[in-house]
Amino acid sequence: MVEGPMTQGAGRGSDVWHGAGVTGSGLVSSGAMGPGAAGDAEPRPEGYTPTQRDLPVIGAAPTAPTPTLVDTPSPVADGEQGPLYVVGDVHGYLDELRTALLNQGLIDTEDHWIAGNARLWFLGDFTDRGPDGIGVIDLVMQLSAEAAAAGGYCKALMGNHELLLIGAKRFGDTPVGSGAGTASFQAAWLLNGGQRSDMERLQEHHVQWMSRLDAMALADDHLLVHSDTTAYLEYGGTITDVNDAVTEALTHHDADETWDLFRKFTKRFAFRDDAGAMAARELLDTYGGRRVVHGHSPIPYLLGEVGSEDGEDDAPQVHGPHVYADSLAVAMDGGVTMAGKLLVSRLPLPA
């Protein structure tokens, strides 16, 4: 990271654009791209095998896109709900995602849903930094349809990197008001792990699917969000209000409005410091639930074990979700981009 390790108080401060990169937000700046960033020639983590680039895009035909739970409600057999699972940030690491889902008994070796009426939530950030973000999106879309047909569901939340990719696709180099100079989505996307191969394979049905993702959800007393920030409070006092406000903003196709969403949902560390429990409680009191479950901030970064979310020190030891803020918050980003771990966990967590 340029300008030393990043900190951001309680996650309420503004993200700042310096030159070509965003700092104070967890997104890397110029000269500090993480593993897998465009043009990065550094080796992948040991043992990692990138997936094929010429894989067919599921639902590529514009007349028949792959159905998802946005389009198809999930039937629940006999009113019973299956176990609940959550997935942390994937960031294009498709092989690691397949392995993690297979290990939890959610998919078979052919990547098909075998978990019946189980419920699966992805916490966002499917692309960037890793080699196959579009492959990740295609798999999530496929599992959404298969889980619904089996009486369960597979759903996903909007992450800040979904907003970044949507902005790069829609607005490219169009200048946006970053608050500290002129920036563009294209520049921010490339400097924060954007993969040109993802952009080449990105199709309109992918963009439409991402743009309709919810920002937050409540499942079994767990408030699910992507970012460890209280910025959600700026968009409404109920989960429905927040989700509607974010979806509505993206329908405007306005670069500055989309940038403002991206900037706010890139904030982090709201639950980490002395006032963290109070911030978590504020979200829970407003939207419901007993625990906030989030991705966004890699656990080694959250704990200060590395200087940034793209830390290249010795591989961090991540064994599972991190419970903190007086047990009111659960961090689910295991730091797969820094050779950590892609987490798929059943909720509630064991006591």
Side-chain angles (χ1 to χ4, degrees):
M1 298 291 293
V2 296
E3 303 179 2
M6 295 185 305
T7 58
Q8 193 175 321
R12 297 170 183 259
S14 299
D15 304 309
V16 181
W17 179 269
H18 289 285
V22 179
T23 61
S25 62
L27 291 181
V28 300
S29 299
S30 177
M33 289 187 288
D40 191 349
E42 295 181 5
R44 301 286 178 195
E46 183 178 355
Y48 180 75
T49 303
T51 52
Q52 292 176 249
R53 298 297 191 183
D54 57 352
L55 293 174
V57 177
I58 297 173
T63 57
T66 301
T68 72
L69 284 194
V70 172
D71 311 294
T72 308
S74 58
V76 179
D78 301 324
E80 295 181 358
Q81 291 187 318
L84 174 66
Y85 295 84
V86 290
V87 184
D89 300 35
V90 182
H91 281 301
Y93 285 86
L94 179 58
D95 286 349
E96 285 81 352
L97 174 61
R98 287 168 165 159
T99 298
L101 294 175
L102 183 67
N103 288 342
Q104 287 285 3
L106 297 170
I107 64 172
D108 61 20
T109 56
E110 301 298 320
D111 297 340
H112 294 299
W113 181 265
I114 58 170
N117 66 348
R119 296 166 293 153
L120 179 63
W121 274 101
F122 284 80
L123 300 181
D125 277 10
F126 303 110
T127 67
D128 304 337
R129 298 197 173 99
D132 197 357
I134 300 304
V136 171
I137 292 174
D138 283 337
L139 178 59
V140 176
M141 293 174 71
Q142 170 199 316
L143 294 178
S144 294
E146 293 179 353
Y153 67 64
C154 171
K155 300 184 181 182
L157 294 180
M158 173 81 70
N160 61 304
H161 278 264
E162 278 68 66
L163 292 166
L164 185 58
L165 183 58
I166 291 169
K169 177 67 172 178
R170 287 181 173 176
F171 310 118
D173 289 321
T174 301
V176 293
S178 68
T182 300
S184 75
F185 272 106
Q186 179 73 3
W189 174 72
L190 287 173
L191 286 168
N192 291 284
Q195 302 294 296
R196 294 187 185 276
S197 57
D198 279 347
M199 187 62 75
E200 290 168 358
R201 295 171 56 202
L202 181 66
Q203 298 190 29
E204 183 58 27
H205 74 274
H206 296 126
V207 176
Q208 290 298 320
W209 180 79
M210 288 189 293
S211 66
R212 291 184 292 166
L213 295 175
D214 285 340
M216 62 194 322
L218 187 64
D220 294 358
D221 272 341
H222 296 88
L223 182 63
L224 308 180
V225 295
H226 172 69
S227 305
D228 45 328
T229 179
T230 57
Y232 297 93
L233 295 166
E234 301 179 35
Y235 290 90
T238 69
I239 290 174
T240 298
D241 287 345
V242 173
N243 291 336
D244 287 349
V246 172
T247 300
E248 175 68 19
L250 290 175
T251 65
H252 298 159
H253 288 248
D254 180 89
D256 285 322
E257 191 171 9
T258 304
W259 181 268
D260 192 56
L261 277 174
F262 162 67
R263 180 181 63 83
K264 288 177 179 175
F265 292 137
T266 301
K267 296 176 182 178
R268 64 170 86 247
F269 298 154
F271 317 130
R272 186 179 68 171
D273 298 320
D274 292 342
M278 184 181 302
R281 174 57 63 194
E282 184 179 12
L283 281 189
L284 294 169
D285 287 345
T286 302
Y287 301 117
R290 296 181 179 180
R291 266 185 174 174
V292 181
V293 181
H294 68 85
H296 188 47
S297 293
I299 292 169
Y301 186 25
L302 184 65
L303 295 175
E305 295 174 356
V306 297
S308 78
E309 62 180 309
D310 291 296
E312 298 178 2
D313 304 325
D314 292 337
Q317 297 299 310
V318 176
H319 302 288
H322 173 56
V323 180
Y324 67 117
D326 291 347
S327 296
L328 294 176
V330 179
M332 280 294 303
D333 184 349
V336 67
T337 63
M338 57 180 71
K341 187 175 183 179
L342 200 161
L343 296 178
V344 179
S345 298
R346 183 171 174 174
L347 297 179
L349 297 174

